[in-house]
């Protein structure tokens, strides 16, 4: 009997094919040595779910970002965490626009994996947003509102956005005074700072002027809404005076949907009211 062991076969990996993560469990259970040698992995975009807060008010630029990544590649990895509801999937911590763009391209996503609880997730998301210059004031304020409404303590919100409690209070005061539908209709408005948003909030007085948010860009939509608040009011038309023998007997004010007749209390007013039905009937008969 030949006891010589069969030679082990070597498994070769085609380097031209992208490497995909095998799920969240596979990522976090790798050996420490492997994690150190490969801190960024390639993840199938179909395995990534959303999580955290909505940090962007506008996503119209996703196709343009996808085209840029197609030409130049993904330059910056995203951060993911294992999905606590499905250990074979991931959730986005930050890098949502890159994930959305790569989903359009159906390309694997370069990602770092971190095990984070919900509190750590929103702090990481907020701090990454705070480090970027392109997130507008209203997007940061809306992020703070979402965190507060989700039940996070004020200190956690401050840590996430890297600002103090006074600034957070001002942000929340502004977004609480502006209907969310109007904020979303306007969009990011990158050129509009806190002072002008504060003025808008002060002048709205609870009104929802979403219909006035008209314009090609979000800055233009903000200006349109702001202008609608500051337009001078059209003065009311003066009523027409009706006279008889030089004496005013009535005033008539015509409005878009009605005519207002004002009479002095001289007895004629009572007579007119008493005979109004008869007068109206005679008018109807003469117009048959």
């Amino acid at each position: 009997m030949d006891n010589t062991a069969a030679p082990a076969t070597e498994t070769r990996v085609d380097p031209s094919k992208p490497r995909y993560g095998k799920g969240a469990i596979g990522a976090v259970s790798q050996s420490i040595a492997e994690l150190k040698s490969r801190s960024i992995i390639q993840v199938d975009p179909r395995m990534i779910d959303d999580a955290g807060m909505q940090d962007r008010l506008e996503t119209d630029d996703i196709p343009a970002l996808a085209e840029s990544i197609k030409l130049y590649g993904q330059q910056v990895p995203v951060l993911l965490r294992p999905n606590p509801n499905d250990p074979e999937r991931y959730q986005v911590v930050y890098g949502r626009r890159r994930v959305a763009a790569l989903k359009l391209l159906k390309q694997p996503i370069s990602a770092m994996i971190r095990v984070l609880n919900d509190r750590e997730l929103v702090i990481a998301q907020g701090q990454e947003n705070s480090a970027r210059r392109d997130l507008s004031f209203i997007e940061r304020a809306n992020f703070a509102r979402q965190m507060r409404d989700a039940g996070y303590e004020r200190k956690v919100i401050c840590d996430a956005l890297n600002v103090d409690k006074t600034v957070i209070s001002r942000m929340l005061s502004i977004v609480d005074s502006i209907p969310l539908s109007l904020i979303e209709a306007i969009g990011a408005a990158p050129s509009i700072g806190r002072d002008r948003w504060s003025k808008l909030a002060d002048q709205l007085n609870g009104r929802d002027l979403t219909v006035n948010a008209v314009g090609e860009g979000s800055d233009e939509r903000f200006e349109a809404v702001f202008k609608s608040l500051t337009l001078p009011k059209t003065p009311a038309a003066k009523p027409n005076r009706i006279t008889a023998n030089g004496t005013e007997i009535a005033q008539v004010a015509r409005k878009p949907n009605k005519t207002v007749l004002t009479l002095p209390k001289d007895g004629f007013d009572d007579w007119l009211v008493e005979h109004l039905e008869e007068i109206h009937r005679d008018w109807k008969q003469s117009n048959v």
Side-chain angles (χ1 to χ4, degrees), residues 25-277:
I25 289 180
V28 298
S29 63
Q30 296 175 87
S31 66
I32 294 177
E34 186 180 358
L35 284 174
K36 286 182 177 179
S37 64
R38 188 164 62 90
S39 59
I40 297 176
I41 67 171
Q42 299 295 302
V43 179
D44 186 333
R46 295 170 298 181
M47 301 299 295
I48 301 176
D49 305 316
D50 203 3
M53 307 298 170
Q54 178 189 355
D55 51 2
R56 290 282 185 177
L57 288 171
E58 298 178 38
T59 56
D60 296 342
D61 61 341
I62 298 300
L65 178 59
E67 186 63 26
S68 175
I69 293 176
K70 183 178 180 181
L71 291 173
Y72 304 109
Q74 181 187 349
Q75 301 298 316
V76 181
V78 303
L79 180 62
L80 309 176
R81 76 166 180 175
N83 188 331
N85 302 314
D86 186 345
E88 292 298 322
R89 299 182 63 83
Y90 301 94
Q91 289 181 334
V92 183
V93 178
Y94 59 71
R96 283 165 174 72
R97 292 169 61 249
R98 277 163 280 167
V99 169
L102 285 158
K103 282 185 176 182
L104 283 179
L105 297 173
K106 298 180 180 180
Q107 292 183 7
I109 297 172
S110 298
M112 299 178 292
I113 309 298
R114 299 288 184 273
V115 179
L116 303 172
N117 59 33
D118 290 346
R119 180 177 181 275
E120 292 167 336
L121 183 150
V122 294
I123 290 177
Q125 183 186 2
Q127 289 180 342
E128 197 267 348
N129 288 337
S130 297
R132 300 204 319 252
R133 297 288 183 181
D134 59 344
L135 209 64
S136 70
F137 166 79
I138 198 64
E139 287 178 315
R140 287 163 56 83
N142 192 51
F143 188 88
R145 178 193 60 78
Q146 292 178 79
M147 289 191 66
R148 181 204 59 193
D149 293 349
Y152 288 98
E153 299 175 358
R154 190 62 55 93
K155 183 181 183 304
V156 177
I157 303 175
C158 293
D159 291 343
L161 292 174
N162 196 29
V163 294
D164 60 32
K165 290 183 178 180
T166 301
V167 175
I168 292 295
S169 295
R170 290 174 181 169
M171 285 180 168
L172 293 175
S173 175
I174 290 171
V175 292
D176 285 344
S177 301
I178 304 175
L180 179 58
S181 59
L182 179 56
I183 293 175
E184 292 177 339
I186 291 174
S191 299
I192 309 301
R194 185 188 71 189
D195 290 345
R196 298 203 67 204
W197 278 104
S198 180
K199 289 180 180 179
L200 177 64
D202 291 341
Q203 296 184 34
L204 275 175
N205 294 322
R207 290 174 289 172
D208 188 348
L209 300 180
T210 301
V211 295
N212 294 333
V214 179
E216 183 176 350
S218 56
D219 287 337
E220 289 79 9
R221 292 192 290 272
F222 177 93
E223 295 293 354
V225 173
F226 196 82
K227 185 178 180 180
S228 71
L229 290 170
T230 56
L231 287 175
K233 294 183 179 180
T234 304
K238 293 182 179 180
N240 295 325
R241 298 170 66 245
I242 300 176
T243 61
N245 299 322
T247 302
E248 181 179 304
I249 62 172
Q251 289 186 354
V252 179
R254 299 186 182 275
K255 299 183 179 181
N257 58 348
K258 63 182 177 180
T259 298
V260 179
L261 180 65
T262 304
L263 302 171
K265 292 290 294 181
D266 59 359
F268 174 68
D269 57 319
D270 293 331
W271 180 89
L272 182 61
V273 171
E274 183 179 347
H275 293 83
L276 191 60
E277 182 180 356

